[in-house]
Amino acid sequence: MQHVRMAPNPVTVSVVWVNAQTCDVGLRQNSPVRLSGPHVRLAVGLLLAEWQVPLCATCWTRTGRGAEHAGQSDEFLTPALAYAQTNGAKKAQTLLKEHRI
């Protein structure tokens, strides 16, 4: 039986939750950006879309207690892209701007 190694994903996102409405979002090549507000998960997705993070990119999420798990950027991008399509790019950019600290 031959084992096939998968190439590492070139884009890795990190989302570190400070509390329920605040998180730091980063990419390998970018400094983390702090987002806070009532729709912070949506703002994370809009930021990832702005950074042109593709769907299915690796997304490491860490809670304030230190628990960490790997997921995919779809968790944030899918609702954000739907929001932007439904409400328009201008409204999406306004929401993101309101959540940046």
Side-chain angles (χ1 to χ4, degrees), residues 30-86:
N30 292 9
S31 297
V33 172
R34 181 155 285 187
L35 299 173
S36 185
H39 306 289
V40 70
R41 292 182 65 80
L42 187 56
V44 169
L46 294 170
L47 181 63
L48 298 183
E50 183 177 284
W51 286 348
Q52 298 179 347
V53 172
L55 291 169
C56 300
T58 302
C59 183
W60 287 96
T61 305
R62 185 173 35 185
T63 65
R65 295 183 180 167
E68 190 172 54
H69 76 276
Q72 292 185 328
S73 56
D74 301 34
E75 174 184 350
F76 300 104
L77 279 170
T78 301
L81 295 173
Y83 177 87
Q85 185 175 15
T86 302

